[in-house]
Amino acid sequence: MDTSKNKLLIYGAAGYTGRLVCERAKELGLPFEIAGRSGNTIEPLAKELGVAYHTFPVDDAAGWKAALKDTFCLINAAGPFENTAEYAMKACLDSGVHHLDISAELPTYQLAESLDEQAKQAGIMLISGAGMFVSYDALVLHTASRVKNPHRVSVAFRHYGGFSRGSVKSSRHIADLGILVREDGKIKQVADAQTKLFDFGDGEEECLPTPLGGIILSYKSTGIPNIEEYFQLKLPASGMADLADIDALPDGPDSEERAAGRTRLAAEVTGEDGGKAYSVVDAPSGYTLTSLSVVAVANRILMGDFKTGFQSPASAFGESIISDIPDTHIIDF
């Protein structure tokens, strides 16, 4: 791979989270261009940002090739990712470009995992879930380091700030999977999964079992054979529109709503000897955290810090990556 190319390409830049990603990349002074499916939204955004732009449908191989020329890393922010991930990953493999996305869809992680050998041959790194999962994965790795022979991890995510239309569309694909866990190293569907109490720092709260993706990503980074995941939602004071009517939803929470609360992640790791460790991540609210996280990872890659093949955020960078995310830290209990 030609490491003299240090440009970043952000696909799906005109979407709700894509715009936040662009703002963060510009704030850090990173060299980047933007791309998307509609010139009506991409062209004015490019003028606003003062960057070059590309417009092409996601299944346009020639469009990808032209946009990825002289590019070192791609951020795919265009969801639902079941519609975009395969095209973006193939384009990166063909062009020798590192790939990141902000997917929360487990099949996208499985797709990246299946392309491990091809990515190694292409000399690139594939990370799917490089948004919220950066701090999630770092938390699990950190907590696992506090026990001897970690054997089981339970992780909970307390989201704050509502959802974008894109996230709601993606969540419907997640719900179709049912409740998945990793048990003795194998992914298994659970019909009677129970709720679990987690303390995010201000008392115990009941959390619902949910397949978040750590059964792929944190298994990659830690090898812990038993992983279960939970979710707890904190809405801003304004609440949310009816999720059944996606078109009625706003693009996403505004800056005041995002700033009004915090995201919390909690991990409990149990060792083979029964010893336990419990740690919590305190971070900015969801979509702010996503943009800060994926740009932090892209910045590492642009500086030449990467591992080839399929990686999770923590398998690539260890728990230190969390120090690259502003206003985000781990608390040990």
Side-chain angles (χ1 to χ4, degrees):
M1 174 180 287
D2 181 4
T3 56
S4 67
K5 304 184 299 182
N6 70 340
K7 186 180 69 182
L8 173 67
L9 180 70
I10 303 169
Y11 188 77
Y16 173 76
T17 311
R19 286 176 177 268
L20 297 178
V21 172
C22 291
E23 290 171 7
R24 179 58 177 166
K26 188 173 181 65
E27 182 181 10
L28 291 184
L30 302 183
F32 71 99
E33 296 180 359
I34 65 172
R37 290 163 279 196
S38 171
N40 292 333
T41 54
I42 288 294
E43 184 176 2
L45 178 60
K47 289 181 180 178
E48 177 185 331
L49 294 168
V51 298
Y53 71 95
H54 310 265
T55 57
F56 55 93
V58 71
D59 59 352
D60 182 353
W64 277 110
K65 184 176 181 179
L68 291 173
K69 183 180 180 182
D70 297 326
T71 295
F72 197 62
C73 179
L74 168 74
I75 294 176
N76 177 17
F81 292 90
E82 72 159 8
N83 300 329
T84 66
E86 187 169 2
Y87 295 111
M89 289 184 197
K90 183 179 187 304
C92 285
L93 289 168
D94 290 344
S95 296
V97 172
H98 296 294
H99 171 279
L100 303 173
D101 68 43
I102 56 171
S103 174
E105 301 169 31
L106 189 139
T108 311
Y109 309 154
Q110 293 172 311
L111 173 62
E113 183 181 41
S114 74
L115 297 172
D116 177 51
E117 190 56 40
Q118 292 183 50
K120 288 176 180 175
Q121 292 176 4
I124 68 169
M125 180 164 68
L126 291 176
I127 298 182
S128 184
M132 179 272 292
F133 264 99
V134 177
S135 52
Y136 178 116
D137 206 30
L139 170 68
V140 173
L141 185 64
H142 169 82
T143 312
S145 72
R146 300 177 58 207
V147 302
K148 184 177 180 180
N149 299 323
H151 183 67
R152 179 176 299 276
V153 59
S154 298
V155 191
F157 169 40
R158 189 176 78 182
H159 173 74
Y160 182 89
F163 295 101
S164 70
R165 279 197 299 267
S167 292
V168 175
K169 290 177 182 178
S170 293
S171 70
R172 296 191 170 187
H173 304 300
I174 297 170
D176 290 342
L177 298 172
I179 304 304
L180 301 174
V181 300
R182 189 172 285 271
E183 187 174 290
D184 296 329
K186 304 294 184 182
I187 294 177
K188 174 184 175 182
Q189 191 166 56
V190 179
D192 59 347
Q194 304 298 307
T195 61
K196 184 177 174 67
L197 295 175
F198 286 85
D199 186 347
F200 296 99
D202 46 14
E204 290 186 332
E205 300 179 47
E206 188 174 34
C207 298
L208 300 172
T210 308
L212 294 172
I215 55 174
I216 300 291
L217 299 179
S218 293
Y219 183 67
K220 170 69 176 178
S221 58
T222 68
I224 295 175
N226 300 287
I227 302 173
E228 54 189 24
E229 303 173 287
Y230 298 83
F231 181 81
Q232 209 275 350
L233 174 63
K234 285 284 188 182
L235 293 175
S238 60
M240 291 180 64
D242 182 0
L243 294 184
D245 185 0
I246 294 176
D247 292 334
L249 290 171
D251 287 342
D254 61 29
S255 59
E256 290 185 359
E257 288 178 322
R258 294 197 310 272
R262 305 279 293 174
T263 288
R264 289 289 180 100
L265 298 134
E268 179 184 77
V269 176
T270 304
E272 290 181 350
D273 62 359
K276 291 186 177 182
Y278 193 93
S279 300
V280 169
V281 161
D282 176 61
S285 66
Y287 294 101
T288 300
L289 178 60
T290 293
S291 59
L292 294 174
S293 299
V294 73
V295 175
V297 173
N299 191 35
R300 287 269 189 126
I301 294 171
L302 293 177
M303 293 189 294
D305 184 3
F306 60 86
K307 295 180 181 178
T308 60
F310 163 69
Q311 301 292 336
S312 73
S315 74
F317 305 109
E319 66 176 87
S320 70
I321 187 62
I322 207 166
S323 65
D324 294 11
I325 306 172
D327 199 19
T328 301
H329 56 279
I330 295 176
I331 306 165
D332 291 334
F333 280 59

